[in-house]
Amino acid sequence: MAEDEGLFQSTNIEDYGDDKIVHLEDMEHIRLRPGMYIGKLGDGSSHDDGIYVLIKEVIDNAIDEFTSGFGKKITVNINFAERKVAIRDYGRGIPLGKMVEAVSKLNTGAKYDSKVFQKSVGLNGVGTKAVNALSSYFKVQAVREGQMRVAEFCQGKVTSDSGIVPSSEENGTLVEFVPDATLFGNYHFVNEYVEKRIWNYAYLNRGLTLYYNEKRYYSKNGLLDLLEHNMDSQPLYPIIHIKDGDFEAAFTHVNGQSSDYYYSFVNGQHTTEGGTHQSAFREGYARVVKDFYKKDCEAADTRQGLVCALCVRIQEPVFEAQTKTKLGSTHLAPNKADGTNDSPVLKTYVLDILKRHLDNFLHMNPQTAEALLAKINANEKERKEIAGIKKVARESSKRASLNNRKLRDCHVHYNTNNPRRLETTIFITEGDSASGSITKSRDVATQAVFSLRGKPLNSVYLNKVAVYENEEFNLLHNALDIDDGIENLRYNNVVIATDADVDGMHIRLLLLTFFLRFYPELVRTGHVYILQTPLFRVRNKKKTTYCYTDEERLDAISNTPGAEITRFKGLGEISPEEFSNFIGKDMRLDPVLLHKDFDIKSVLEFYMGKNNDGRRQFIMQNLRVEDDESIMV
């Protein structure tokens, strides 16, 4: 006992007195604890990095004006060189007398009055304040009925205020900001991430026109357009589109998908982690389908391969965090002051709509009903075929993991509520030397390492059975925990870390083929990245520079007298001490993105299939021959 008590004693504990009680102003607290308000910071490589949350928070306010019936246009401009964002709506404009407080003081705003904003996303009055606090430059301009007020800020503190002056501009609000580099580091905006968000706003708000860097975004058919524009496989039957009051859904089935996949939204907020509305749809859909066919099948058989876009609008939604990625509300409206709630239960509301519309649709469209039944039967057959193999494979994976130590796990996982969950990363490496270096230099709290043994199979023509029969694939998908889809994914970032040589590039392609072939939703949702590691080290006695390109190498040589140049041919050549520089806060990740017109089947067939002649011709036409002088030291 005495030894245990000693664990709680220290001779270095500082005095705990009145002077240790610290009060932080609103903006100071946001800057000290940004994760509470925007999730992780990041450098822009990941779709959920904080700089995109800042954009979202401002646009959300503009959307709330539109849904309240004010303003049918929003403009978004990003100056990539200056990293400045400008967002202008044409709604009512922030009330001028309280404009400065509305963007700089917590617990101040109109979102607390549900009569003003009935089905808003931003209910806590935090979003724009967080943008202000986390920006090195922030400007707000509000115009109302011939009057205007403009204020500028730096890190949440007012630097100028025009006061209320006359104006001939249209009503509305303009917000400009530059995310603070002292917090976000050497960040950059990825155009595809921003454009995807803009499209989602258009799909979810029919009648709204958005302009992003002068390009027009408009949707006539809502979620039907979203699904048509984002599917990378041919639907097995025409998309079913249901719209009833505050509920909208569009869905169909595709082949080659291991589970059901959702684009889900609440009041326009992209709930990437789902929530009660998505669970309600999953359960209601399976129930209606089983009742229609009078077939006592597994619910998973009705949903495997289902692709769905789903949106509900409810009053004062409750999300599980400020980043609003998962809905927690169980009713269409909040509880009353006495704790009771007589508004419709979300699960019952969704089920009733599906009973009416989906059942009627299947009765009136027998060809669709036939195609859906064929898919359900195929799913059932496949499940039974691989059931035995999966059991053997799981036991094998447990033994292999224990014996071969292929997975060096981390302490925090993505499928938990830990505050650091968004930081969780698994590095997929080739060989023991590379995995050893990363293992010794990683953050054991959030970074895991999976070691490949040689090159994985080319899976372009394999079926799902191969995932369980092949040891490498079996171990990998078990490590990620994506056997039944990505809902239980253990790591937010799946990073392919291979050598920058021909073999490394080949392994990278084989892994991407595996993910796209069997788990496309992992790539589609922005979880897969390529780790960039330096090709060169340029150093002298005073300075060391790591270079990722020939251009960086030449620049470093010119600025490093008497330089010694080292060419890294493989990850195993980089010492653990050096590796910590490349997988820490300055880690360079290239996201693997799927564009709207990306056809997975055709692309895999061309690059990884039996298309030898076409592939050879492509390589010859795109072969880049380096100038000998450019690679000489």
Side-chain angles (χ1 to χ4, degrees), residues 134-298:
L134 302 176
S135 297
S136 56
Y137 172 80
F138 181 91
K139 170 185 173 182
V140 58
Q141 170 187 300
V143 182
R144 288 174 68 97
E145 308 303 334
Q147 293 184 310
M148 177 175 72
R149 187 176 181 182
V150 182
E152 295 181 322
F153 302 76
C154 177
Q155 297 179 350
K157 297 178 180 179
V158 180
T159 58
S160 69
D161 183 351
S162 71
I164 300 175
V165 297
S167 174
S168 59
E169 292 193 30
E170 290 185 64
N171 284 356
T173 302
L174 167 67
V175 172
E176 296 181 357
F177 65 92
V178 178
D180 192 347
T182 62
L183 294 172
F184 294 95
N186 186 27
Y187 66 89
H188 62 286
F189 291 102
V190 175
N191 180 68
E192 287 83 357
Y193 290 156
V194 180
E195 186 174 38
K196 184 175 182 180
R197 288 178 180 270
I198 299 296
W199 266 123
N200 284 344
Y201 283 117
Y203 297 137
L204 293 163
N205 297 277
R206 282 179 288 184
L208 173 67
T209 301
L210 298 103
Y211 292 90
Y212 168 47
N213 284 358
E214 300 185 355
K215 180 180 176 181
R216 182 176 182 267
Y217 295 79
Y218 179 86
S219 172
K220 180 180 179 181
N221 301 306
L223 296 186
L224 176 63
D225 290 340
L226 185 154
L227 213 58
E228 287 182 339
H229 294 170
N230 285 278
M231 287 175 55
D232 45 45
S233 300
Q234 288 297 314
L236 298 181
Y237 52 84
I239 295 173
I240 300 173
H241 188 201
I242 297 173
K243 192 173 190 315
D244 187 323
D246 290 322
F247 173 90
E248 183 180 5
F251 50 93
T252 185
H253 275 82
V254 297
N255 281 324
Q257 187 149 300
S258 59
S259 64
D260 46 334
Y261 177 74
Y262 293 84
Y263 302 90
S264 74
F265 305 86
V266 174
N267 295 8
Q269 164 66 31
H270 193 181
T271 44
T272 54
E273 297 179 85
T276 50
H277 62 310
Q278 188 168 308
S279 298
F281 180 89
R282 285 166 57 93
E283 294 178 25
Y285 169 82
R287 181 172 169 180
V288 171
V289 168
K290 288 197 289 184
D291 288 348
F292 175 81
Y293 292 112
K294 296 179 175 56
K295 182 178 176 64
D296 186 22
C297 58
E298 296 281 345

